[in-house]
Every structure is written in C-alpha cells, then in structure tokens.
Amino acid sequence: MTHRTTLLRRGIIHTPAGTGATAMVTEGGQVAWIGSEGAADGFADGVDETVDLEGALVTPAFTDAHVHATSTGLALTGLDLSAAGSLDDALRQVREHAAARPGDRVLLGHGWDAARWPGGRPPTRTELDAATGGRPLYLSRIDVHSAAVSTALLDLVPGIAERPGYRADGPLTRDAHHAVRAAAYGAITARQRTEAQRTALRHAASLGIGALHECGGPEISSEDDLVGLLALAAEEPSPRVLGYWAARVSDEKDAARVRDLGAIGAAGDLFVDGALGSGTACLHAPYADAEHTGTAYLTAADVADHVAACTEAGLQAGFHAIGDAAVTAVVEGVRSAAERVGLARVRAARHRVEHAEMLTPETVAGFAELGLTASVQPVFDELWGGEDGMYAQRLGAARARTLNPYAALLRAGVPLALGSDSPVTPLGPWAAVRAAAYHRTPEHRVPVRAAFTAHTRGGWRAAGRDDAGVLVPGAPADYAVWQTGDLVVRAPDERVARWSTDPRSGVPGLPDLGPGRELPLCLRTVVAGRTVHLRPPE
C-alpha cells in the first residue's frame, strides 16, 4: 500500500471537532488534518492528490458488525427469494433458477419467509423435487436457522433422518440443518467461493462499508472459507475483514487454533439458541403459536467455561443469543466466569452477544455490569416487528413489543455495534441507522446520531479498538463520501426539540433519514487511505 497524501476540500467533514470543517488531509493511511477551506490552501502544493468534494458529505466508513460474506455473495449472485410474495412465486423462481444453471452440482437459494406468504406454508419436499427435476437443492430460510431441501440433497448426507431437527417433509433445523448446509456448501468450488466473497466485499464497499466482522464457525462455514476470505481482503482493494470463529474454547490450545485461523475472537455465531422465525430461539415461556420453548444449544455452565477459558487466554468470547432464556443463560454464564477469573478481566475482554433480541431489565443490567457488547441488527425490527409482524405471530403482541430495546441498552451504558447479519438482512448501513431511529416500538428508538456512532465507531470498539471509526487526526483514514440532501440534528426526544439545521448547535449534522426520505448515495469509499470503491460518473 502506498503512503500517498490526499487533500479533500470543499465538502462537509463529519468530525467531533464541530460543524465548520470542509477539508481533510490524509497521509500514510491516517487522518493528518481536518479544518476549514481557507486553511486548506496551505496544503494544496504539498499533496499527491486533491479531491474536490463539490459539497459532498464525508463520514467515517461504516463497520458492519455481523456478516457472512460467502453466503452474502452467493445470495447476490444466486437465487434470492426474499422478494417472493407467495409459495407459487418461490417455486416458479426455483424452476427458473434450476433451468438457468444446468451445470451446478448443488442449487443454492436463500431468503424465503413463509410467514409473509398467503397460507403461511413452506414448500414441501415433493414440490421442490418437482421444481428442480430431482437435483440437490438447499434453500435457507431468511433467518438462516432452517432450510427447505430436496430429496437429492438429503441423499448426500448419510443418516440424516436420525439427526435432531430432521422432518420427513418440512424445513430442517438444528443438527439436521447444519449437516445439509455443510453438504451443500461443500459442493461449491474454491473458485465459486472466492467469487462470492469478492462480490460481497465489493458490494459492501459500494455502500460505504469500510470494515466488516465475518462471523464464521464450524456450524456455519469452514476454516478454508474464513482463511480464504481474510487472504482475499488483504490482497485486494477491499473493506477490512475482522474474522471471528465460533468454536468453543476450553484451553490455550483451543485458543491458539482460533488465532491460527486469523480470527480475533472465539465469538460471533456460537449458538446458545436458534431464531424466532424458525421457532428455535430459546424462551422462558412457550411460543404463542407452538407448544414448546425452542432449543437450547448451550447452558449457562457451557457459557461460563468458554468465557473463562477465553479470558484466561486473552481472547474475546461471544455468543449468538436471541430468546430471553438464551440471553439469561449468557448473563448467568458470564457472571459465573467473572467469579472465577475476576470481573475486571472479563469486562476488559469486551465479550459480545450477537442479536440479543429478547432482553429484560435484569439482563440489560447484566450486560452493563459485565461489560458485554450488544451486536444488534435494527432491520430485524423493521422486517418482523409491529403488531402484525412475525414477532407478534410467534410471541404474541405483548412480548413482541419488548424486543430489541436499543434505548434501554444505551441508557444502561451498554456498548452497541450495528450490523446486518447479511444475508439475513441486506447490507445497508444507512437503512440500519434509520431502522434504529424509527423502531416500530417508539420507546426503543434511539437518536440518529447514537445509531450512526454504533454503526461506525461502535463496530471498532466491539473489536477492541477505540481509535477508529471517527474522523480525527491520528485515526485510520477509513471514510466514505456521500451525495445527500440537507444535514440535520435530531434531538433524542421530539417532545423537546424537532429537527434543526442551526450550525450554532456545534453538533455535526447527519442526513435526514425520515421515513420516505432517499438514503445517501455512496460516491467513494476509502480504507487506510486507499480507494476501494469509486462510483462511476453518471
């Protein structure tokens, strides 16, 4: 990477220094100076490149704190059923996809959601067999915790009918799902995998994402997948990739294996439970639409052992936990680990919890006490919240209204990191910021500025760095340039103050993300001073 010096001028620089900055100098992959247009003249002759922003907004690049890059790339280039409006529509798309890809060993698709279809029924195996002409097919549900598959794919997994989560003619969950997913993804060639990863990284860069947390693990992907992704991101102009590997750690040898893969933590999707849409999130009380409480994959004792071992090894731990019983198990387990190795050491490790949807006042307080980071996905609420959404169908309206309480987490001092869980929801940081600010349950809404910070600086803090995700001298030169409308400052409570464009407030403005407003358009993304995306001129 070259150490070029670049001057950006005649724009709007989003910096904590205030509202008057219009120019920025980067050098050696870092921010060197931020200031006014008049002062920028003094740098003009000593830089390698000058960029005329023409009034554009410059912000820190976003960090997506939860991504599955290969699956994202396959969804972008393959069969995406997220827009299918009915079962018949989904089956039609499967038929067309199968006809268009006669050479694929296994057909892959993602994103179906029967809860949004008339009748609410997923495809049967017989229907999928007919749509594919008898070929192997793997169709992950939108939450990626269950999948509809064809008979030919089942035939590739000996003993599949004996695995937990197997159903004779319905979507598979638990171990059965993990086994067919491994078989399906194992049929992908190394070239296909690399192309999927490259597609995902380029798409992320085009959205102003400068870093992403890859949440891999033995039940999700493969060691080769993670190692290959990290190598690709290091070799090509790309967003940074911070890898997590969701393997349980019991000693220093296990921790060393995680590090050898290039991962920065034994975290991410280390499953304590499943997902609400698939009926596998672990609850204290039964589902409203089923006579069970979901699935527990880890106990509080399991959590304690993993956290204690990771803390002793100086490694970040973390878990996937969605249901209230699962989140309780995490809090109890981390608290038990703190009793073994010391609360200060546990807090310093910044262990993290992915999703953390069903929180109570007690578990929110536990997160704050134990220094846990909540890695959350606001678009979940946009898709599935509300009085008639999937949450209400699964849990009943009263329990559904308690989900994703971002304001309560912020009030308690719990660090937030925002992400997408792509391909569960699409990469799209401004959409996530808007979803957090306009949560379907008003008492859970947070200020745009807080959500923006959680999607920029929050992702870096979740990975253990406090010097990134913000534009100040000395910070990494990771930034995005945006075409947008007026910048505004939104007060935390609209009963106190409305939108304001008054620069005397001294608070840096952000784009107006109100419902129906057009989201900002990314013109350029820069990582460590190196351009990784440049939108072609229209």
Side-chain angles (χ1 to χ4, degrees):
M1 185 176 296
T2 59
H3 293 286
R4 290 175 58 83
T5 303
T6 300
L7 167 64
L8 293 86
R9 62 186 309 178
R10 286 188 280 275
I12 303 170
I13 313 298
H14 184 91
T15 172
T19 59
T22 63
M24 180 170 75
V25 174
T26 66
E27 182 176 16
Q30 293 184 314
V31 177
W33 172 86
I34 295 175
S36 64
E37 189 58 41
D41 290 336
F43 295 93
D45 294 333
V47 298
D48 299 308
E49 178 187 20
T50 298
V51 176
D52 187 342
L53 296 169
E54 298 180 344
L57 171 69
V58 180
T59 72
F62 284 101
T63 296
D64 191 313
H66 194 122
V67 173
H68 305 283
T70 301
S71 298
T72 296
L74 291 170
L76 289 168
T77 59
L79 177 57
D80 181 1
L81 294 174
S82 59
S86 67
L87 174 58
D88 288 344
D89 186 19
L91 292 171
R92 175 189 59 77
Q93 292 187 48
V94 170
R95 286 193 297 271
E96 293 174 353
H97 183 72
R101 304 184 74 91
D104 288 5
R105 288 184 286 177
V106 173
L107 299 168
L108 300 171
H110 168 73
W112 62 271
D113 185 2
R116 295 190 289 111
W117 294 345
R121 179 176 72 79
T124 66
R125 198 151 298 140
T126 301
E127 290 169 333
L128 295 179
D129 290 345
T132 61
R135 295 166 64 189
L137 169 72
Y138 172 82
L139 290 181
S140 53
R141 190 187 179 279
I142 191 169
D143 61 8
V144 200
H145 283 268
S146 60
V149 301
S150 67
T151 302
L153 182 59
L154 293 178
D155 291 342
L156 299 178
V157 186
I160 185 64
E162 282 71 53
R163 289 179 179 264
Y166 174 81
R167 295 173 62 189
D169 195 17
L172 307 184
T173 61
R174 303 174 61 190
D175 290 353
H177 174 221
H178 298 157
V180 296
R181 177 167 57 193
Y185 277 63
I188 299 171
T189 66
R191 180 189 60 79
Q192 286 176 303
R193 184 178 64 217
T194 299
E195 280 306 306
Q197 292 171 346
R198 183 177 288 117
T199 296
L201 293 175
R202 288 178 176 174
H203 184 57
S206 75
L207 298 169
I209 297 171
L212 55 86
H213 297 185
E214 168 66 16
C215 292
E219 294 183 341
I220 305 160
S221 53
S222 68
E223 293 185 356
D224 287 345
D225 185 89
L226 177 63
V227 171
L229 175 65
L230 295 176
L232 181 68
E235 293 165 0
E236 299 184 0
S238 162
R240 304 174 193 261
V241 177
L242 310 177
Y244 285 92
W245 187 247
R248 291 175 65 178
V249 170
S250 59
D251 53 29
E252 179 56 47
K253 182 179 178 181
D254 291 340
R257 180 57 187 158
V258 171
R259 291 193 180 95
D260 288 345
L261 294 174
I264 64 171
D269 278 333
L270 182 51
F271 297 119
V272 180
D273 67 345
L276 290 166
S278 292
T280 52
C282 190
L283 313 181
H284 285 305
Y287 282 83
D289 60 352
E291 296 180 356
H292 62 78
T293 57
T295 304
Y297 297 123
L298 298 179
T299 66
D302 296 328
V303 171
D305 290 343
H306 180 70
V307 170
C310 285
T311 305
E312 292 281 12
L315 192 66
Q316 189 180 28
F319 305 91
H320 161 119
I322 287 179
D324 50 2
V327 175
T328 296
V330 169
V331 170
E332 291 177 351
V334 177
R335 187 175 285 124
S336 178
E339 292 171 357
R340 292 189 215 172
V341 303
L343 177 60
R345 293 180 68 191
V346 165
R347 287 179 59 86
R350 302 190 190 188
H351 303 308
R352 53 190 284 173
V353 184
E354 309 302 313
H355 316 311
E357 294 198 72
M358 293 186 70
L359 291 155
T360 64
E362 292 74 23
T363 50
V364 169
F367 273 46
E369 169 200 354
L370 300 164
L372 297 174
T373 294
S375 171
V376 299
Q377 296 76 40
V379 177
F380 285 7
D381 172 75
E382 181 180 297
L383 286 178
W384 304 317
E387 296 297 311
D388 301 317
M390 182 272 288
Y391 291 152
Q393 295 174 28
R394 295 287 186 270
L395 302 172
R399 272 193 295 180
R401 282 192 290 271
T402 69
L403 265 62
N404 302 303
Y406 304 141
L409 288 164
L410 283 180
R411 285 194 299 270
V414 176
L416 290 184
L418 268 55
S420 62
D421 197 10
S422 180
V424 175
T425 68
L427 296 170
W430 286 116
V433 171
R434 177 160 63 188
Y438 292 92
H439 197 294
R440 287 179 177 270
T441 305
E443 56 262 37
H444 299 330
R445 294 173 180 172
V446 297
V448 169
R449 189 168 68 254
F452 175 80
T453 300
H455 218 334
T456 49
R457 200 167 192 179
W460 280 106
R461 286 172 166 168
R465 285 188 61 176
D466 294 326
D467 63 335
V470 62
L471 297 181
V472 295
D478 293 11
Y479 61 87
V481 181
W482 305 94
Q483 176 182 303
T484 186
D486 290 338
L487 303 185
V488 294
V489 178
R490 183 177 182 237
D493 190 335
E494 290 191 0
R495 292 172 298 181
V496 177
R498 300 284 180 176
W499 290 94
S500 171
T501 57
D502 187 347
R504 292 174 297 177
S505 66
V507 178
L510 286 168
D512 186 345
L513 303 180
R517 296 280 187 173
E518 188 172 342
L519 293 176
L521 178 67
C522 183
L523 304 177
R524 182 191 295 252
T525 305
V526 175
V527 174
R530 186 183 189 187
T531 297
V532 299
H533 166 73
L534 183 62
R535 182 177 176 81
E538 296 181 354

